[in-house]
Amino acid sequence: MHLYRLVHGSEAREIRYDGKVVHLLKAQILGMGHAYPERILDNKELEQMVDTSHEWIVERTGILERRIADKHTKSSDLSFIAAEMALERSGITAEQLDLIIVGTASPDMPFPSTACIIQDRLGAVNAGAFDLEAGCTGFVYSLTVAEKFLLTPAYRYVLVVGVDLCSKFTDYTDRNTCVIFGDGAGAAVLGKGDSGPGIIESYLGAEGSGGKHLYMPAGGSAMPASHETVDQRLHYIKMDGNEIFRFATKIMVKISERLLSSSGLEYKDVDLLIPHQANIRIIRTAMKRMNIPVEKTVINVQQFGNMSAACIPVGLSMADQEGRLKPGDLVLMVAFGAGLTYGGVLLRWGRD
Ligand code: UT7
């Protein structure tokens, strides 16, 4: 009988197999890409739409402007641009992809999946494809699932996309939500590495009892679309901002502590924190509790608002493009969102 035992507290990812220490493979990010719409919706324009003010929005959220897709642009369009950029930067062709996972809560349509639409557009003829719905935590969930595939022999290259076009489901008469959300897409091509750079640890969680705090009531099997659902504006995002705020500030630290402690690392080891970009006050609270300074944190909520599942991959891709990352850097990504879901990924930047 063979005995396996994971050796915790080490980022080398070792297992004991029949008493011997064996190094496991790691999933590495080979290339990143991102995309966002050209159209800017600033706070002054929102002042004309709902009872709000630039000052209130900046003070309570930190957001100055957000990007909004035009009526012809779909989630698959931004995903495709981000994916092409990630493929180019990774040096991998679309035909080499074994799998495509798209984390989104705003697919082009209920089915087929946005992942299948992208698979066709990219010409990724050898890839399986599926969508994964975890709200704003969609990219972190998808990255974690991709990692598990990459630790098996059959999967060599996986494309992960985080995309949301929240503007398509935002009620621009509801000041509680319309000042927050924006549109975007980020993509990562992942491959296998040895025990150097790559994903060290990931952690996924859910608190389904909190689902009522952030949801879209109609359009699913519980409440199919009808004249009534449209008249009652039930195809829009409904949110209890205060509940999400409380949840977020608590959970970001919990995720980070768990990831670091199970890897034998500390906050001072983190080179770049990429938090979900929901509200500057949530980000600042998390930074303070973790004692991570602003120069080690990606903050783009001012320019993009909350792009949901796209926040983290857009932040990572832009940080890479801006030269904020060097091989060996410890990157901590933490997110929360509808579900309620939460999760994080800890990785060493770079590739073999
Ligand atoms: O990705 C996950 C999704 N969502 C989030 O993470 C959201 C997390 N929550 C938040 O970011 C904040 O709770 C909000 C930005 C949504 C709201 O900020 P807040 O400081 O929690 O405001 P509040 O809801 O406690 O409302 C305070 C006041 C209320 O007026 P009264 O009752 O005190 O007279 C609101 O009606 O501010 C009012 N208010 C606004 N005023 C001007 C709410 N929205 C607006 C607005 N402009 N857009």
Side-chain angles (χ1 to χ4, degrees):
M1 192 174 88
H2 299 300
L3 281 178
Y4 296 87
R5 191 169 67 82
L6 251 170
V7 182
H8 282 290
S10 151
E11 64 173 283
R13 300 191 66 121
E14 294 165 342
I15 55 165
R16 276 188 201 284
Y17 178 73
D18 273 357
K20 288 186 221 110
V21 174
V22 179
H23 292 278
L24 289 182
L25 287 172
K26 270 188 183 164
Q28 291 180 346
I29 292 182
L30 306 180
M32 294 293 307
H34 63 272
Y36 46 81
E38 275 178 28
R39 156 107 162 87
I40 295 173
L41 174 62
D42 65 17
N43 294 344
K44 286 287 164 206
E45 199 177 340
L46 278 166
E47 284 180 355
Q48 313 304 314
M49 298 159 76
V50 286
D51 180 16
T52 192
S53 67
H54 171 72
E55 291 70 27
W56 190 96
I57 301 171
V58 173
E59 192 195 317
R60 308 305 292 171
T61 71
I63 302 169
L64 301 170
E65 58 188 40
R66 60 294 285 145
R67 299 298 179 119
I68 302 294
D70 64 31
K71 71 173 184 183
H72 304 292
T73 303
K74 309 174 292 299
S75 289
S76 61
D77 296 322
L78 290 190
S79 302
F80 177 71
I81 299 167
E84 284 217 306
M85 181 173 165
L87 283 167
E88 194 185 320
R89 296 183 76 161
S90 65
I92 300 301
T93 64
E95 294 81 29
Q96 286 177 282
L97 292 173
D98 300 302
L99 186 65
I100 299 173
I101 308 175
V102 175
T104 187
S106 47
D108 284 13
M109 56 191 90
F111 58 87
S113 69
T114 301
C116 281
I117 295 168
I118 299 167
Q119 188 253 8
D120 180 43
R121 277 187 75 180
L122 289 171
V125 290
N126 298 306
F130 63 88
D131 287 0
L132 192 159
E133 205 285 285
C136 300
T137 323
F139 182 76
V140 163
Y141 262 66
S142 301
L143 200 57
T144 303
V145 173
E147 185 213 7
K148 307 308 170 207
F149 276 95
L150 284 162
L151 299 182
T152 68
Y155 291 81
R156 292 158 307 157
Y157 300 109
V158 181
L159 170 69
V160 174
V161 178
V163 59
D164 269 312
L165 268 57
C166 291
S167 69
K168 306 277 182 180
F169 306 101
T170 296
D171 183 349
Y172 285 95
T173 67
D174 175 10
R175 69 177 184 175
N176 286 310
T177 51
C178 74
V179 300
I180 293 173
F181 293 105
D183 301 336
V189 172
L190 287 101
K192 293 179 199 292
D194 63 20
S195 54
I199 294 175
I200 300 164
E201 192 75 271
S202 58
Y203 169 43
L204 304 181
E207 200 172 293
S209 59
K212 56 185 178 290
H213 301 313
L214 182 54
Y215 71 119
M216 195 170 80
S221 60
M223 207 187 286
S226 67
H227 284 295
E228 288 74 31
T229 62
V230 173
D231 291 345
Q232 291 167 29
R233 309 184 80 77
L234 298 176
H235 296 272
Y236 291 122
I237 300 166
K238 310 286 177 194
M239 182 179 76
D240 182 338
N242 286 307
E243 286 288 346
I244 305 291
F245 196 101
R246 265 194 292 278
F247 174 74
T249 46
K250 177 189 72 180
I251 212 69
M252 301 252 279
V253 177
K254 181 182 159 185
I255 300 163
S256 306
E257 281 176 358
R258 179 164 163 160
L259 286 172
L260 288 166
S261 67
S262 63
S263 311
L265 294 160
E266 298 175 33
Y267 284 128
K268 67 175 173 46
D269 299 317
V270 174
D271 295 296
L272 197 67
L273 168 68
I274 311 181
H276 175 49
Q277 309 283 313
N279 184 317
I280 194 83
R281 291 185 293 139
I282 296 174
I283 298 171
R284 286 202 184 118
T285 305
M287 282 163 56
K288 200 169 161 197
R289 291 194 190 157
M290 298 179 199
N291 200 18
I292 294 182
V294 67
E295 55 283 5
K296 287 187 172 185
T297 308
V298 169
I299 305 175
N300 61 21
V301 69
Q302 301 94 326
Q303 290 81 41
F304 295 111
N306 181 347
M307 294 179 287
S308 186
C311 288
I312 287 184
V314 170
L316 183 59
S317 180
M318 291 183 81
D320 179 32
Q321 202 174 39
E322 290 161 10
R324 289 183 72 180
L325 284 161
K326 55 181 188 320
D329 276 356
L330 186 67
V331 180
L332 173 60
M333 301 178 258
V334 278
F336 56 89
L340 299 175
T341 56
Y342 56 92
V345 173
L346 188 65
L347 67 84
R348 282 264 170 229
W349 186 250
R351 53 188 289 186
D352 293 337

